């Protein structure tokens, strides 16, 4: 299992942080706001 | 005697029916008509009375001739008072112009409102059902949605308050 080989530890840690950062950024900036907008529109339509 | 001929030409019954006057306006018109009729009747009655005085007859029967002379003098020098009605006429003209201007303004306002209402009616008639609307269309119709989204997102809240209570929660966790 290469993930248990110490040679790849630095590589794994680096990519974990990179991927987490990119994921969090895209979710907070693009994906979740769309969901919130949809929810709020749904609430508004149901109020009419 | 333009004024008199104009007054004679008015068909009072037609005025109140064709203009659809009601309430206070009709009452005022009635009052004005009554005043006009009264004045006309008075003029007629007065014009039927003799307008000359036979002073020689009175001189013959009265002993005091001086008073007859004095009365004759007064009668001859009497001049009916004339009134300058130009000011009133001018005021009436100004009032009329103002009223017409107001009416025009009101007409414009009413027309604009009618157009607005027509537009709204068209909107209502051509409105699509909610199922066919996209979120973008709803948000463009109600800019408040985008504002609320921005405020919730900036606070790090991803679920609007009251949403779960209303629509339920599908999350497994």
């Amino acid at each position: 299992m290469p993930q248990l080989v110490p040679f790849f530890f630095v590589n794994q840690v680096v990519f974990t942080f990179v991927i987490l950062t990119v994921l969090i950024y895209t979710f907070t900036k693009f994906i979740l706001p769309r969901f919130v907008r949809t929810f709020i529109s749904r609430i508004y339509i149901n109020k009419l | 005697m333009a004024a008199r001929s104009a007054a004679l030409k008015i068909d009072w019954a037609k005025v109140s029916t064709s203009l659809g006057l009601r309430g206070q306006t009709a009452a005022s018109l009635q009052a004005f008509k009554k005043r006009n009729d009264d004045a006309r009747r008075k003029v007629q009655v007065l014009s039927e009375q003799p307008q000359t005085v036979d002073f020689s007859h009175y001189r013959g029967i009265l002993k005091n001739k001086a008073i007859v002379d004095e009365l004759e003098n007064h009668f001859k020098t009497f001049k009916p008072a004339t009134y300058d009605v130009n000011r009133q006429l001018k005021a009436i003209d100004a009032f009329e112009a103002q009223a017409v201007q107001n009416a025009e303004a009101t007409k414009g306002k009413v027309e604009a409102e009618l157009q607005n209402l027509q537009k709204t009616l068209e909107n209502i008639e051509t409105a699509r059902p909610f199922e066919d609307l996209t979120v973008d269309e709803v948000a463009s119709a109600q800019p408040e949605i985008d504002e609320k989204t921005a405020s919730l997102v900036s606070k790090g809240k991803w679920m609007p308050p009251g949403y779960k209570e209303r629509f339920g929660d599908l999350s497994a966790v």
Side-chain angles (χ1 to χ4, degrees), chain B residues 31 46 48 59 65-66 74 81 83 97 116 150 166 168 172:
Chain B
L46 288 176
E48 275 169 5
R59 248 187 227 108
K65 306 256 188 319
H74 272 302
Y83 297 97
N116 202 356
R166 194 187 283 253

Side-chain angles (χ1 to χ4, degrees), chain A residues 5 13 17 19 24:
Chain A
V5 180
V13 167
F17 275 105
I19 287 168
I24 289 172

Side-chain angles (χ1 to χ4, degrees), chain B residues 16 23 65 67 77 108 111 114 129 144 155:
Chain B
S16 53
K65 306 256 188 319
I67 198 153
T77 54
E111 267 172 8
L114 268 181
E144 197 185 288
K155 284 181 204 155

Side-chain angles (χ1 to χ4, degrees), chain B residues 96-108:
Chain B
E96 190 185 340
Q98 185 73 31
V100 167
Q101 201 180 331
N102 278 350
E104 292 283 343
T106 311
K107 194 180 153 213

